[in-house]
Amino acid sequence: LSRPAAGTQRPTLTPDPPRRYEPFPLTDMQQAYLVGRSEGVAFGGVACHTYVEVSAAETDVARIEDAWNTLVDEIEALRMVLTPGGEQRVLATTPRYRIVVDDLRSLDEVARRERLAATRERMATQLLDPESWPLFEICASRLPDELRLHIDLDLLFVDALSMMVVIEQWGRLLQGESLPPRPGLSLRDYVLAEERLRREGAHEASRQFWLERAATLPPGPELPRLPGAVSGATTSRRQR
């Protein structure tokens, strides 16, 4: 069995600004994440999202909010929603995002811990509506000696690596730096180019190659058998 011969020209990635805000298909990974949000699958009914807490070096919430809204204007992924037809689209404009502040300075230590825990539990387990903007939530807790930011980003449109880029650029803005130039190419351009690629003969030849190769690969690990139905599934981080 040999690898299929190369030579077929790949589709050109050409920016299409006039159609930038029109719907386009989800990627395979996005479709998998969407299925996982459904109550109809085992361990479903939960969002694939990232929740983090940050002790902010900048304590001026207005500046933090301004910087975040600049990111929303510049980064299309922060303005994306799911369409009723099961596709995705970038919103041309969005309302200003407001960061709500919970002032805990007048509470005693026990009450502060309870309020922080309640915010953490709510945001770490929430399931945002993918058809409604925004697919993120940011709020703040003002403590006697710090400003705690609570950040929840849904990974349906911003994956883990992209989230790191977003946080890094947020910090640059707060330090008075400028953002890199906005790319001319959009995710929509890329996804549609990949769709065209899937219709070419070279793609089918590659798919057939790996289907035949799969029969010769070692099997996957034997995982424990899971219960048929689980409701209210949660995840927790373990380390050793």
Side-chain angles (χ1 to χ4, degrees), residues 36-127:
R37 303 170 88 96
S38 169
E39 296 281 359
V41 296
F43 293 98
V46 296
C48 191
H49 66 131
T50 295
Y51 170 74
V52 296
E53 294 181 17
V54 176
S55 181
E58 171 61 65
T59 59
D60 185 342
V61 177
R63 287 195 72 242
I64 295 173
E65 186 178 285
D66 285 343
W68 180 258
N69 280 279
T70 297
L71 284 179
V72 172
D73 290 340
E74 291 293 320
I75 301 177
E76 290 185 347
L78 297 176
R79 305 197 311 275
M80 294 179 71
V81 294
L82 190 73
T83 71
E87 294 189 302
Q88 60 188 325
R89 72 184 182 97
V90 176
L91 301 176
T93 59
T94 55
R96 180 178 178 83
Y97 187 79
R98 300 291 182 180
I99 296 178
V100 177
V101 180
D102 191 12
D103 194 338
L104 309 182
R105 289 174 295 182
S106 63
L107 302 180
D108 60 39
E109 184 63 27
V110 172
R112 278 200 297 269
R113 286 202 301 267
E114 290 176 348
R115 188 83 69 88
L116 286 171
T119 298
R120 183 178 304 124
E121 173 66 17
R122 178 186 66 78
M123 293 181 67
T125 59
Q126 68 181 343
L127 183 65

Side-chain angles (χ1 to χ4, degrees), residues 102-166:
D102 191 12
D103 194 338
L104 309 182
R105 289 174 295 182
S106 63
L107 302 180
D108 60 39
E109 184 63 27
V110 172
R112 278 200 297 269
R113 286 202 301 267
E114 290 176 348
R115 188 83 69 88
L116 286 171
T119 298
R120 183 178 304 124
E121 173 66 17
R122 178 186 66 78
M123 293 181 67
T125 59
Q126 68 181 343
L127 183 65
L128 298 173
D129 179 6
E131 294 186 18
S132 299
W133 185 87
L135 263 292
F136 57 80
E137 181 182 356
I138 301 171
C139 61
S141 296
R142 195 174 290 283
L143 305 172
D145 55 353
E146 69 169 308
L147 180 71
R148 180 85 56 86
L149 289 178
H150 308 265
I151 305 166
D152 184 29
L153 287 174
D154 198 297
L155 299 184
L156 186 60
F157 300 122
V158 180
D159 64 17
L161 182 59
S162 301
M163 182 201 71
M164 295 171 62
V165 174
V166 168

Side-chain angles (χ1 to χ4, degrees), residues 210-227:
W210 285 108
L211 285 175
E212 295 176 18
R213 176 79 185 278
T216 68
L217 296 176
E222 291 293 330
L223 299 176
R225 185 176 298 276
L226 299 175

